[in-house]
Amino acid sequence: MEAQSEVQSSHNSSETTNLRVRGWDDLTDGQQLCLNWAREQDWDRIKGYAKEHGPEVLLGAFAEECIDEEWEVFSVLSLASQYGNVEMVKLTLEAGFNNNESMYTAAMISMNISDNSIILRMLLEHGLDPNMDLRVEGLLRKSSNLLVLAAERRHIDQAIALLDHGANVNKEVVSMHGHVLSPLNCTFIDGAHDLCRLVLTRGAIPTTNDVYLVFCICLKACKGKNPRLSRDVAIKMFATFLHLGKPDSDVVRDKFNLNHPSYCDPTITNITKHYLQGRPFCCFICEALTAKERDKLLMCPCRNVAYCSRECQLKHWREHRLQCAGPLNERGESEAMVKKRSKTGKGMKGGGADVGGADVGVAEGAVATGKNGATGKNGKKGKKGRGKKK
Ligand SMILES: [Zn+2]
Ligand SMILES: [Zn+2]
Ligand SMILES: [Zn+2]
């Protein structure tokens, strides 16, 4: 909601028409010649001319209105990007090309034609601002964002390059049809699980709109009604979304309840219930829904985390040992709870079971509905300072 109004409030800024992009007549004769040659892909001629007359002949950029009130910026750089000429892109940037709008256009073009990130990385290293928005610059009527574009195109190397150079992982844009797009929700539509995971690990915060969309898209896929997204991938992505995104429980409950029971999928329902009760539903480290050797996940004795394998468990143990509440006794209490109780003088001591990371073995299926509901939103009750060493 907040983000939506923020996007719309900047809608009226289109009169800030850009002054940095010049018209054709403002270019020098040499710049005009090079641009004409670039359109004909006569790169050798451009190189020879730049050698003879100095690198500034490569620096021309001008804006041309293409369709009503939308402007396209042309430069040797954007044309070299369009034809995938890495060498020419490099030459132009090293000549001191620094027109932001044209660099952004070049980035968009290179991202549209290819999934490799060589040209994009060069542009970023020469100062391209990954968070620029050409609508704000008055060049486009719809808003644009390079990270959203990378997510829509499923170009993961480009997304990594943009994030490494400071792209805002939570920047939203409004599509021509009025949909609010974010780098995160763009990954749902085609089931780009790897990208979904990437943006979540880089700090994407799910919005209410994202939670709504993930249910719509995944449930539709589970019904076999999304030709671009299989049920398997949809479920995998759904689990990753909840596990790494940690969306607000109330929002998840609301959006879950919006779906008619007949439209629900049993696995999606079980994952959602586990999430809302703070119980593990996937491997803590890799989000696998079943263990590698069998179909049940391996539960840590504390029952707050589960793993697909010993490898994943060991990866997490260094961190988890600080929070692990240890095994539960027959009353469903952790060792810490027992200690607390014994301090107050009632009841027995814990069984003294070892809390080591190796003691996993209680199996629970990803979608089982056990009765030992863990407390706490994400099942993690900090038990720092237990001081128990393995
Ligand atoms: Zn592609
Ligand atoms: Zn795992
Ligand atoms: Zn544990």
Side-chain angles (χ1 to χ4, degrees), residues 14-207:
S14 56
E15 66 263 30
T16 58
T17 305
N18 195 276
L19 297 173
R20 278 176 290 173
V21 181
R22 294 149 166 260
W24 179 254
D25 295 336
D26 297 315
L27 304 177
T28 67
D29 292 348
Q31 289 172 345
Q32 289 183 356
L33 281 173
C34 286
L35 266 156
N36 282 332
W37 291 328
R39 283 181 153 157
E40 293 158 19
Q41 299 187 64
D42 198 348
W43 310 113
D44 287 341
R45 204 150 177 194
I46 298 175
K47 271 190 268 176
Y49 191 80
K51 224 172 232 168
E52 206 177 313
H53 298 268
E56 49 291 344
V57 296
L58 300 173
L59 305 184
F62 75 103
E64 203 171 68
E65 191 167 2
C66 43
I67 32 168
D68 39 298
E69 289 169 51
E70 298 234 329
W71 295 75
E72 201 163 339
V73 188
F74 289 97
S75 61
V76 173
L77 179 81
S78 64
L79 289 159
S81 300
Q82 183 179 331
Y83 296 111
N85 189 332
V86 176
E87 189 200 358
M88 201 66 219
V89 169
K90 192 164 182 251
L91 215 64
T92 316
L93 289 170
E94 281 168 1
F97 192 92
N98 63 1
N99 179 290
N100 291 325
E101 292 74 20
S102 189
M103 283 167 80
Y104 188 97
T105 306
M108 282 207 314
I109 293 170
S110 81
M111 292 170 70
N112 274 321
I113 60 162
S114 147
D115 64 357
N116 91 46
S117 60
I118 298 173
I119 290 178
L120 179 63
R121 280 181 192 276
M122 280 182 183
L123 292 163
L124 288 163
E125 262 136 44
H126 282 83
L128 166 67
D129 172 8
N131 296 314
M132 206 170 144
D133 186 333
L134 291 194
R135 180 180 49 76
V136 177
E137 306 295 323
L139 291 166
L140 290 183
R141 283 186 308 162
K142 61 170 179 135
S143 52
S144 60
N145 176 255
L146 293 177
L147 190 56
V148 167
L149 181 62
E152 283 178 325
R153 294 279 184 276
R154 304 188 62 165
H155 292 172
I156 192 160
D157 283 348
Q158 296 173 354
I160 293 169
L162 290 163
L163 288 165
D164 286 348
H165 287 83
N168 177 358
V169 74
N170 289 304
K171 165 105 179 173
E172 291 181 319
V173 298
V174 180
S175 78
M176 282 186 290
H177 309 290
H179 300 299
V180 178
L181 303 176
S182 67
L184 177 59
N185 71 38
C186 280
T187 68
F188 302 158
I189 299 155
D190 289 325
H193 180 254
D194 51 352
L195 264 156
C196 177
R197 197 166 199 284
L198 173 75
V199 297
L200 286 168
T201 56
R202 298 294 190 103
I205 299 165
T207 62

Side-chain angles (χ1 to χ4, degrees), residues 243 246 249 273-281 284 299-306 316 320 323-326 328 334 372-383:
H243 181 63
K246 299 179 179 61
S249 299
K273 282 186 177 165
H274 274 63
Y275 180 74
L276 293 175
Q277 293 166 5
R279 284 187 289 145
F281 50 86
F284 191 90
M299 289 280 274
C300 182
C302 70
R303 303 190 70 82
N304 284 335
V305 281
H316 190 221
H320 181 60
Q323 299 159 339
C324 186
L328 306 178
S334 71
N372 291 350
T375 50
K377 188 180 159 215
N378 289 309
K380 271 185 278 175
K381 282 223 149 175
K383 293 281 187 267

Side-chain angles (χ1 to χ4, degrees), residues 282-290 292 297 306-313 315:
C282 65
C283 174
F284 191 90
I285 295 298
C286 73
E287 301 111 44
L289 290 167
T290 55
K292 279 178 185 156
L297 286 171
Y307 305 99
C308 71
S309 62
R310 281 290 287 270
E311 292 83 73
C312 279
Q313 186 198 12
K315 267 186 212 164

